[in-house]
Amino acid sequence: MSKNFDVVVIGGGPGGYIAAIRAAQLGFNTACIDEWKNEKGGPAPGGTCTNVGCIPSKALLQSSEHYEHASHGFAEHGIEVKGLGLNLEKMLGRKNTVVKQNNDGILYLFKKNKVTFFHGRGSFTKGDANGYEIKVAGAAEESITAKHVIIATGSNARALPGVPFDEQLILSNTGALAITEVPKKLGVIGAGVIGLEMGSVWRRLGAEVTVLEALPAFLGAVDEQIAKEAQKLLTKQGLNVSLGVKIGEIKTGKKSVTVEYTDAKGDAQKGEFDKLIVSIGRTPNTIGLNAEGVGLKLDERGFIAVDGDCKTNLPNVWAVGDVVRGPMLAHKAEEEGVAVAERIAGQHGHVNFNTIPWVIYTSPEIAWVGKTEQQLKADGVQYKAGTFPFLANGRARALGDTSGMVKFLADAKTDEILGVHIVGPMASELISEAVVAMEFRASSEDIARICHAHPSLSEATKEAALAVDKRSLNF
Ligand code: FAD
Ligand code: NAI
């Protein structure tokens, strides 16, 4: 096996493994180094996304949603469930199986594409424009060389100062996905994406969930109208969200955690929880890379400094995904990985940040692409808005899920779609149409004139586009 590669990728998450596959497809002799271990100490490529992020969270969201349907939703359909039980061990076991299927899938893809995989930690030993030497510290230590290096080392959960994760009482995403007994009282600090998704999982399984958020607005980055609707719907389901809080002292006992905080009115409050999830954002991971040893520049927040093409300050060293600026999303990491492999091959890889979709997998789901109404106002852009509620959509009624709406924002003069925002059933799937439309710089009229299958949720998208011109047909 050759130890000299054209391209070496450090990190096998969605940014890294996809970059490695694309580089190999383009004819480069490629290696990928990833240090994640499964419970037996074996390789578990896929990074945060596969092991403790996107995949296991969606597995538990699905299982817990089935449970909620069985306990609360089926009755309306005339389905009577007697003796309903929860086997949490089995639910967690299924989640672990789904994770393993994805780990194995990536190892298979490496073989198929002739990417050499190294299990261990990769760190720079030396290098310059002529090539880099990288030490792989795994079961055995070895040294490999590469002309081009792509760093995709991802991110880690951010802890509150002085409150380290013990994954027993104070949980990061890792512990939040592996609670072995449904807590009676679950505290969550941070009403961001993880807080709402993991809070929903454990609420559906029976926990009383309190989410404490520092900002005064719910989901501040989301279109205000959509965020308000989402807050109303999630609160109605029983998720207790307190906004504008200031977290004080956190004390851990043997079996519980006490959180002192000040509420929005300035009154002192105290919450006692069986478990506490801290989901206040993530920090870039450059531990063990020996960045300083080779002079790799980080920015003031600890991210690897890159330009618009993901080039670092070192020649032929690139960085993608959570370890660089931009949204911390698996699909953003993947797009950057592909673009960098193509740039190395002399092609013109491109990532359009304006058309990266966001999805929060609560129920109903929240999804959006492009600008929010508040951003357009701040930018002084003249726009038209059109909304359509799922309440008026036949398929949503048949499904028994009529919550939420689709909202279109289009340029007042040209009618070009500037943003699409959805809270409602299957928003994660519906948003793709908007992404395609925006990539092709479609107008809202384009969507309004396209034939959509009936009955389908996508008709709500068409109707919202029609509403931009105040000519919805079904509302
Ligand atoms: P990572 O996935 O973090 O992968 C980095 C890999 O590099 C890891 O395997 C790490 O072990 C390895 N590594 C680090 N340093 C070294 C080294 N020196 N040598 C060798 N290996 C190294 N995003 C979505 O788009 N959709 C979702 O639904 C979603 N859900 C999420 C749910 C949760 C609970 C969390 C925490 C995140 C979620 N995300 C989601 C975000 C998503 O997981 C990240 O944006 C994505 O994983 C980033 O990919 P990456 O390749 O940059 O890094
Ligand atoms: P987040 O940035 O989404 O939310 C963090 C929240 O914590 C914010 O609302 C912030 O105001 C709040 N906060 C920060 N400090 C606080 C404090 N001291 N006290 C109280 N509240 C505080 O971060 P989160 O949820 O940790 O997720 C990290 C990232 O992972 C996300 O931003 C997203 O990029 C990614 N992710 C994506 C998912 C998806 O695409 N469906 C799912 C889960 C995570």
Side-chain angles (χ1 to χ4, degrees):
M1 184 171 59
S2 160
K3 297 286 167 77
N4 306 315
F5 296 93
D6 300 322
V7 178
V8 165
V9 184
I10 306 179
Y17 91 79
I18 288 292
I21 290 173
R22 186 68 189 121
Q25 281 177 349
L26 289 162
F28 294 114
N29 181 17
T30 306
C32 181
I33 311 167
D34 188 81
E35 65 177 343
W36 207 293
K37 290 187 182 126
N38 61 25
E39 73 282 1
K40 290 184 186 143
T48 302
C49 167
T50 301
N51 292 294
V52 291
C54 326
I55 300 299
S57 62
K58 266 79 252 180
L60 286 186
L61 278 155
Q62 190 61 57
S63 298
S64 60
E65 195 169 3
H66 284 323
Y67 181 69
E68 183 151 82
H69 282 317
S71 50
H72 294 101
F74 283 173
E76 164 200 340
H77 293 262
I79 304 168
E80 290 166 10
V81 181
K82 291 202 177 82
L84 180 70
L86 173 67
N87 184 337
L88 184 56
E89 196 182 339
K90 193 160 180 187
M91 195 179 277
L92 294 174
R94 175 188 176 272
K95 175 219 44 165
N96 294 340
T97 305
V98 174
V99 167
K100 184 160 188 318
Q101 285 164 346
N102 282 272
N103 296 142
D104 292 347
I106 295 167
L107 289 171
Y108 160 78
L109 290 171
F110 280 161
K111 268 211 183 102
K112 184 182 163 205
N113 289 282
K114 300 192 174 48
V115 173
T116 306
F117 176 67
F118 292 92
H119 188 212
R121 173 169 287 185
S123 52
F124 286 98
T125 30
K126 60 180 181 194
D128 53 34
N130 297 316
Y132 292 85
E133 190 180 278
I134 292 157
K135 183 179 80 182
V136 184
E141 195 169 297
E142 45 195 324
S143 183
I144 62 178
T145 57
K147 172 89 174 117
H148 293 270
V149 181
I150 305 174
I151 303 168
T153 46
S155 62
N156 293 317
R158 186 152 76 87
L160 280 164
V163 191
F165 297 114
D166 60 18
E167 305 300 0
Q168 295 301 319
L169 292 172
I170 311 275
L171 314 178
S172 71
N173 54 299
T174 303
L177 288 158
I179 303 175
T180 52
E181 199 179 323
V182 179
K184 263 208 171 103
K185 290 190 169 198
L186 174 68
V188 179
I189 299 187
V193 196
I194 296 180
L196 296 180
E197 289 188 357
M198 295 318 300
S200 292
V201 165
W202 294 106
R203 182 202 57 74
R204 291 170 192 167
L205 298 179
E208 186 189 313
V209 181
T210 304
V211 188
L212 304 172
E213 165 62 45
L215 292 178
F218 183 71
L219 287 177
V222 176
D223 184 88
E224 227 167 79
Q225 189 181 3
I226 297 291
K228 278 208 174 111
E229 181 72 11
Q231 184 181 9
K232 197 176 78 194
L233 293 166
L234 296 177
T235 305
K236 203 167 140 204
Q237 291 169 4
L239 204 64
N240 307 307
V241 184
S242 292
L243 300 171
V245 308
K246 193 165 183 306
I247 303 294
E249 204 177 349
I250 297 182
K251 287 189 204 129
T252 49
K254 269 206 173 126
K255 287 193 161 171
S256 67
V257 189
T258 312
V259 180
E260 288 176 359
Y261 61 96
T262 316
D263 66 18
K265 289 189 207 134
D267 294 337
Q269 302 285 354
K270 198 192 243 183
E272 195 174 334
F273 306 107
D274 303 310
K275 305 265 180 199
L276 180 72
I277 297 174
V278 177
S279 46
I280 55 167
R282 297 179 63 80
T283 53
N285 173 28
T286 52
I287 302 162
L289 265 181
N290 189 26
E292 55 298 339
V294 282
L296 179 68
K297 230 169 105 186
L298 307 185
D299 69 16
E300 61 288 350
R301 295 185 303 151
F303 289 90
I304 294 177
V306 287
D307 66 8
D309 284 347
C310 292
K311 270 190 190 137
T312 70
N313 66 311
L314 300 179
N316 301 333
V317 177
W318 311 72
V320 301
D322 279 13
V323 78
V324 303
R325 83 285 172 267
M328 287 183 162
L329 295 173
H331 41 286
K332 175 265 193 183
E334 292 183 12
E335 292 304 311
E336 285 184 334
V338 168
V340 163
E342 293 179 350
R343 284 172 197 138
I344 292 173
Q347 299 181 2
H348 300 280
H350 179 66
V351 183
N352 181 357
F353 271 52
N354 191 42
T355 52
I356 294 175
W358 277 85
V359 180
I360 305 177
Y361 293 81
T362 44
S363 180
E365 294 175 343
I366 305 160
W368 70 97
V369 59
K371 302 278 191 236
T372 62
E373 205 167 337
Q374 57 267 30
Q375 279 172 329
L376 293 178
K377 275 186 190 148
D379 294 347
V381 177
Q382 299 293 308
Y383 64 91
K384 300 176 286 182
T387 58
F388 187 81
F390 284 103
L391 198 66
N393 174 273
R395 183 72 191 278
R397 280 194 214 111
L399 277 174
D401 190 354
T402 52
S403 53
M405 69 182 94
V406 181
K407 172 172 179 175
F408 263 64
L409 297 169
D411 187 279
K413 272 205 195 105
T414 65
D415 194 35
E416 180 175 349
I417 303 166
L418 302 175
V420 177
H421 306 269
I422 308 173
V423 52
M426 304 305 280
S428 57
E429 301 296 334
L430 294 174
I431 200 67
S432 294
E433 181 181 6
V435 176
V436 173
M438 285 183 64
E439 272 295 337
F440 284 84
R441 302 198 59 179
S443 63
S444 71
E445 190 186 350
D446 287 327
I447 300 297
R449 289 193 180 277
I450 289 171
C451 182
H452 287 66
H454 175 77
S456 71
L457 296 171
S458 71
E459 287 173 291
T461 307
K462 177 188 170 100
E463 290 277 0
L466 280 164
V468 170
D469 200 27
K470 298 194 174 38
R471 54 192 187 97
S472 286
L473 297 164
N474 283 286
F475 188 63

